[in-house]
Every structure is written in structure tokens, then in C-alpha cells.
Amino acid sequence: MTTRSVAAARSPLALRLIHAVIFLAMTAGVLVVARPEWEHLLLALNQPFHAGAAPRVPLLAGAVVAAVGGLAIGLALLRGRSAPLWASAVVLLGVAGTVAGGNGRGLMENRSEESGNLAILRVARRVHLTMIQELQAHGEVPVEPSAWQQALANATPRDDVFRTQDFKPLPMQLKWLESEEAKPEPMIPGTLWAFVTPDGIGFSLRMVGLKGGKPALLPDDRGQDLVLRGLYNPDLPAAPPTPSSNIP
């Protein structure tokens, strides 16, 4: 290698340091922002179900390319050489991926099992109140699953509360029970178990959520299965209609 080519391969030390500090800081920023996505990805791949939105692909890809570029820049600095142009370019590409992935506000909270369980509990409460109104207004609730399916559809704000291991969203669904004690298999998170007495004057709802990545019935304060019940009471006035948007 000639003296001229060696000089071309090297830039002043101060300039190399400044360049490395800036681009390695960018790389570190991308990795910090993408860390929750990688943690969520690993968690989801190691259990049958999980809660919340799937990892953001732009952040995952951005972290990979930024790490490659940052590694190349670091190695060039250690060898006393100028960083290759492509390394700086891929770090910038990683930054662009981070920006494209959005700020992710609220994602971490929505990815917790507690958040998913609260979401199905809210939906169950809406269905419960809808059927309580039916019970008090007509003295009975529908004894056919179709009306309950419609009540569930009206009460469900979104279908990405729970997902499978391959990130397929699980729509909330209704499981019609022949007896209140029945525990159908397989258990699927996001399912409401509904039982209605043959005469329609009473009903109960149980909810399947998540515990440790596995389906589980939501518990009450005593650790027993949480059950929302309805029973016709002729001494109570008919409940006025309540907009679903006002139900917590």
C-alpha cells in the first residue's frame, strides 16, 4: 500500500473520534428504544399466549442494522482507520427505522397481562350490564347465544388484547355453557363463559384471561373464580339504557 493510499484510509484522529462518538451514540439510542420490542418478542416466543400489540418491525430491523453499523465504526476506530461510509449509512438507516416505528406510547402498559385481564373484565362488565337491563326490562334474558354474541360485539373495542405465539390476534369470543360448573377445553384467553338458566331469569359470566402466559379464569379477591351474575328481581325498577361509552 502506498503512502497516499494509507493517508486516504485514515483521517485525523480527532475527526475519527468525533465521528465515532456521534454515530455510536446514535446506535446506542436505537438499541435503547428497541430494547422493549426485543424483550416482548422473546417473551411472546416462549409462551403460548401473550397480551398486547406485536413488536414493531421497523424498530427490530433498525436495531439490527444500527448494531452492525455501530460495530463496524467501533472496529475501525480501534484499528486506527476511518469508518467505512456504509457503516455510517446503516446507522442512519437504523435511526430512520426507529422514527418510523413511532413513539410506542402506551404499548408497554397494554402488553402486560394485567392490562389484558382488565380489558376483558371491562368487556364482561358491559355485557353484564346490558343483560341486567334486559332482565329488569323484560323479566328474562335471551336464552339463545346469538343475542349474547351481539352484546359482546357491541362491547368489544378492539381485537388485539390477546395474541397467539405467532402474534395472531385473538378476537374476544363467547363460550356458551350447558351448566354453570362446566369448564370447557381448550381455554382461550379473551373468552367469556356464559351460562343462562333455561327460563332466562338468571345468568352468570366468567372470564378467561392470562396468568404466566397461560389461559386462566380471572380470580376474585379471595382467589376464587370471578363470576358476574344476574338474577331477575321484580322489586327493582327497570334500569334505564346506559350508553356503553360511559361504562368503565
Side-chain angles (χ1 to χ4, degrees):
M1 182 180 292
T2 64
T3 303
R4 179 176 297 179
S5 63
V6 171
R10 298 182 180 178
S11 55
L13 177 59
L15 185 60
R16 295 201 306 271
L17 285 173
I18 293 173
H19 178 273
V21 168
I22 292 174
F23 279 83
L24 290 178
M26 290 182 184
T27 301
V30 171
L31 296 179
V32 168
V33 173
R35 178 180 175 180
E37 306 303 310
W38 285 102
E39 290 177 343
H40 184 58
L41 176 64
L42 294 176
L43 175 69
L45 293 177
N46 283 281
Q47 56 189 38
F49 301 100
H50 63 277
R56 291 172 286 172
V57 174
L59 265 69
L60 296 178
V64 172
V65 298
V68 171
L71 180 61
I73 292 173
L75 290 175
L77 180 64
L78 291 176
R79 294 173 179 174
R81 301 177 61 87
S82 296
L85 181 61
W86 65 264
S88 303
V90 297
V91 170
L92 293 176
L93 186 61
V95 173
T98 301
V99 173
N103 60 19
R105 182 178 300 171
L107 277 182
M108 295 305 297
E109 292 80 3
N110 292 335
R111 286 173 175 168
S112 69
E113 291 185 351
E114 291 78 6
S115 175
N117 292 340
L118 283 174
I120 189 173
L121 177 58
R122 292 189 188 101
V123 169
R125 289 182 62 191
R126 293 185 181 109
V127 174
H128 179 252
L129 290 178
T130 297
M131 291 306 172
I132 287 291
Q133 291 167 11
E134 286 287 322
L135 196 59
Q136 292 305 121
H138 306 293
E140 61 181 8
V141 295
V143 294
E144 297 297 328
S146 57
W148 290 77
Q149 295 280 8
Q150 185 59 52
L152 175 61
N154 294 339
T156 304
R158 56 193 179 94
D159 288 336
D160 62 346
V161 174
F162 298 108
R163 291 179 182 265
T164 62
Q165 195 173 41
D166 57 356
F167 304 105
K168 179 181 178 181
L170 290 170
M172 290 196 180
Q173 56 185 306
L174 183 80
K175 186 69 176 180
W176 196 252
L177 303 183
E178 297 299 326
S179 68
E180 190 174 28
E181 295 76 20
K183 290 191 175 183
E185 295 288 345
M187 295 175 66
I188 305 295
T191 304
L192 296 186
W193 289 359
F195 169 74
V196 179
T197 59
D199 53 13
I201 65 171
F203 69 89
S204 64
L205 288 172
R206 285 179 287 171
M207 300 126 275
V208 182
L210 275 183
K211 183 177 181 180
K214 297 180 180 180
L217 290 170
L218 298 191
D220 60 18
D221 294 338
R222 299 171 298 171
Q224 304 297 317
D225 293 347
L226 177 61
V227 183
L228 303 181
R229 301 184 187 276
L231 184 65
Y232 176 61
N233 186 347
D235 297 328
L236 292 178
T242 303
S244 60
S245 60
N246 292 335
I247 302 174

